[in-house]
């Protein structure tokens, strides 16, 4: 069975492991902090490649930043990784074949091949983390666009300049639907400037515990609405509705079978609520909303599957 | 040379002509008002088909409403055509082969084969008329989605319920970027409830005439900004910025080569302004913005080309 050395290069962490063509992780997952400079990142990647390249058929990178249509390099970085990073010569890091894909695109592919969008020709995946990533599958193929940069979630939720996004523009979906967005919404609503995402989630969990008796007959969102009046919960529900608003637009544009929510913040979202409310509003046909199910390392798994030509 | 009987069924008018496989209109264009009832529409279509079917190889419909992936019928109507219309049995209107596509999708195909997006693998076309239609081309193919309804422009420009859209939801792009949207924006800004789109365009043209001396060194939008202070012009510029906001989101999602503006309202838009401002904000690569160039009958031409298999 063919195998790929899979490496996930993010703004804060670099992960690596080995993935086989069934999408199984067949080695330990190693993790280290992403160095601050281009040269240091290059040295780390070179070390990982040299250590494992003889055990595998291909090197598969899942990386921050948009990746070109040749799957050889990064077009532009995300702003939270060393500024020289787009110059990385991935192909020459190994004598073996090297394949590069954007991390959200790779994760979307893992969901498509073996996760929540398996069997669906059309899907949209959102990774809700510090930022928001997007991976879109049209007719069983990744949507890449003219240069490889498609699937960026910077459509606007307002048009009157309320909140600046990390991209430099205002009011992008990412600026509201991300974990950072939740924190900013909570700071606005509570007037506590240093409120953390953790504070909000802790309060949400407390209210869910308090309303546990309603669990059989009420959704998570209904229980939050019925719980103690709390600015934190209000912020959470506003954040969830921001995600809903974005999903409505995406469902109408792509008429996808399913919208998959992935990333560290996704588990807190009531996908049944999003699915129910979304289908009241869209003009296209019924669209499912699901939690991702390909696991924490879906970026590495998806990059490996793409590099090994699985699912095409 | 093969030919198609092309029929455009809209909410207010039905057009028909004959189009050859080069996209040339080779017969008179006939036009009549769209009848109010399903039965009357069916009778009219039947008459047109019977009159011309012997002269052509295929019958090509460009129609209001989303069309299924089999290109045989309408999934749902647009609200401004007889309510029974989605039940139309297009296939049995003729003994010849019948092909049906959504009017905006068909127009996007005409632009792709012989118009403003010719040679572009990735494009987004917006038809700005009474409403807003969308036709999206990904990798030289029409984006249809799971059921055929993709490309609906009902993503939201606000998330705090300001203006109801014809679809029943609030603050859809269509509710702002359409001709109807311009009228409503003008009514809001001028406090003249019965202001018409014509009033706004007349004022815009007057200001452009007044600032004609600046034409060599200033864009159309700059000339409007420098003209007499007018609520009508303010409404026009707001409308144009609403279109810009939508185009930014679409460029980031699709990374398309070009966004094409089509429909009766498109000619008033300063596409150079949209292109310039859009490329300041997007996180994907440079995206062109162009006026449509396949002409007034691009819906019929595109449906004919699709039915004849041209451009695939």
């Amino acid at each position: 069975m063919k195998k790929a050395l899979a490496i996930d290069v993010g703004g804060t962490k670099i992960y690596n492991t080995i993935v086989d063509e069934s999408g199984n992780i067949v080695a330990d997952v190693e993790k280290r902090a992403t160095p601050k400079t281009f040269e240091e990142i290059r040295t780390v990647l070179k070390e990982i490649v040299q250590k494992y390249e003889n055990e595998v058929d291909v090197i598969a990178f899942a990386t921050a930043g948009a990746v070109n249509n040749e799957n050889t390099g990064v077009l532009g970085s995300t702003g939270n990784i060393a500024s020289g990073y787009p110059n990385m010569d991935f192909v020459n890091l190994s004598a073996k074949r090297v394949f590069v894909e954007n991390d959200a695109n790779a994760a979307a592919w893992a969901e498509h091949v073996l996760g929540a969008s398996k069997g669906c020709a059309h899907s949209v995946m959102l990774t809700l983390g510090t930022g928001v990533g997007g991976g879109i599958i049209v007719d069983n193929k990744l949507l890449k666009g003219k240069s490889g940069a498609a699937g960026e979630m910077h459509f606007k939720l307002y048009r009157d300049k309320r909140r600046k996004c990390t991209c430099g523009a205002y009011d992008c979906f990412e600026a509201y639907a991300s974990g950072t967005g939740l924190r900013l919404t909570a700071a606005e609503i509570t007037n506590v400037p240093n409120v953390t995402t953790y504070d909000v989630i802790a309060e949400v969990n407390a209210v869910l515990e308090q309303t546990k008796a309603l669990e059989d007959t009420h959704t998570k969102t209904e229980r939050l609405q019925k719980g103690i009046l709390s600015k934190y919960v209000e912020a959470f529900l506003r954040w969830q509705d921001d995600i809903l608003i974005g999903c409505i637009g995406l469902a109408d544009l792509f008429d996808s079978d399913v919208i998959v929510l992935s990333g560290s913040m996704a588990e807190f979202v009531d996908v049944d609520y999003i699915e129910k409310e979304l289908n009241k509003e869209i003009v296209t046909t019924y669209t499912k909303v699901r939690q991702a199910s390909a696991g924490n390392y879906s970026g590495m798994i998806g990059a490996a599957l793409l590099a090994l030509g699985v699912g095409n």
Side-chain angles (χ1 to χ4, degrees), chain A:
Chain A
M1 189 173 270
K2 289 194 171 178
K3 288 180 291 188
L5 168 59
I7 306 173
D8 186 327
V9 189
T12 52
K13 294 275 189 299
I14 294 174
Y15 295 88
N16 64 277
T17 191
I18 294 174
V19 177
D20 71 18
E21 58 189 333
S22 297
N24 295 314
I25 292 176
V26 295
D28 289 344
V29 174
E30 296 175 354
K31 170 174 135 180
R32 65 201 86 197
T34 306
K36 292 285 168 256
T37 72
F38 169 76
E39 277 307 325
E40 289 169 316
I41 297 173
R42 197 179 169 282
T43 302
V44 164
L45 298 183
K46 193 88 192 161
E47 278 168 17
I48 296 168
V49 167
Q50 280 172 347
K51 192 166 164 195
Y52 295 108
E53 63 184 339
N54 291 331
E55 302 177 33
V56 299
D57 301 277
V58 64
I59 321 297
F61 284 95
T63 178
V67 169
N68 62 22
N69 276 326
E70 295 73 38
N71 296 103
T72 56
V74 171
L75 287 166
S77 74
T78 58
N80 54 15
I81 197 163
S83 61
Y85 185 66
N87 301 318
M88 184 71 68
D89 182 1
F90 289 95
V91 173
N92 285 311
L93 288 173
S94 175
K96 291 264 167 79
R97 190 167 69 86
V98 173
F99 178 93
V100 190
E101 187 49 275
N102 167 265
D103 47 9
N105 280 355
W109 194 254
E111 296 299 333
H112 174 68
V113 174
L114 47 79
S117 51
K118 188 178 171 180
C120 298
H122 300 270
S123 60
V124 173
M125 194 211 63
L126 299 174
T127 53
L128 309 173
T130 311
V132 173
I136 298 163
I137 287 168
V138 170
D139 241 337
N140 294 301
K141 283 197 295 201
L142 267 176
L143 176 68
K144 292 278 288 176
K146 68 174 178 303
S147 56
E152 290 288 342
M153 297 294 159
H154 289 263
F155 55 88
K156 294 182 191 297
L157 286 200
Y158 296 95
R159 47 95 73 236
D160 48 359
K161 299 197 176 177
R162 297 182 184 203
R163 183 183 293 179
K164 204 157 186 177
C165 180
T166 52
C167 77
Y170 282 87
D171 296 325
C172 305
F173 178 64
E174 168 158 347
Y176 292 88
S178 59
T180 311
L182 172 57
R183 184 171 57 73
L184 293 172
T185 298
E188 280 167 24
I189 290 181
T190 61
N191 264 320
V192 179
N194 61 347
V195 61
T196 67
T197 308
Y198 177 83
D199 297 335
V200 177
I201 296 301
E203 178 77 8
V204 163
N205 286 337
V207 174
L208 286 175
E209 187 59 35
Q210 185 208 1
T211 56
K212 216 169 172 59
L214 297 170
E215 198 169 21
D216 290 342
T217 50
H218 291 74
T219 66
K220 218 173 124 176
T221 300
E222 284 165 353
R223 285 160 59 203
L224 289 173
Q225 288 162 343
K226 283 173 186 288
I228 50 161
L229 193 69
S230 154
K231 293 280 185 193
Y232 286 146
V233 172
E234 188 186 334
F236 176 84
L237 293 172
R238 173 95 57 93
W239 173 73
Q240 188 172 267
D241 278 341
D242 286 337
I243 295 167
L244 166 63
I245 293 290
C247 288
I248 289 168
L250 293 166
D252 278 336
L253 280 170
F254 291 98
D255 186 19
S256 53
D257 296 281
V258 59
I259 296 174
V260 178
L261 302 186
S262 177
S264 59
M265 296 300 295
E267 63 175 300
F268 307 114
V269 179
D270 182 351
V271 289
D272 297 335
Y273 166 79
I274 303 268
E275 179 172 313
K276 190 173 138 219
E277 296 302 315
L278 176 144
N279 282 290
K280 285 181 192 166
E281 291 224 11
I282 59 173
V283 297
T284 49
T285 52
Y286 197 90
T287 303
K288 293 177 286 186
V289 182
R290 294 287 181 270
Q291 297 281 0
S293 66
N296 286 335
Y297 304 118
S298 58
M300 287 195 285
I301 294 168
L305 294 172
L306 283 163
L308 293 164
V310 180
N312 278 308

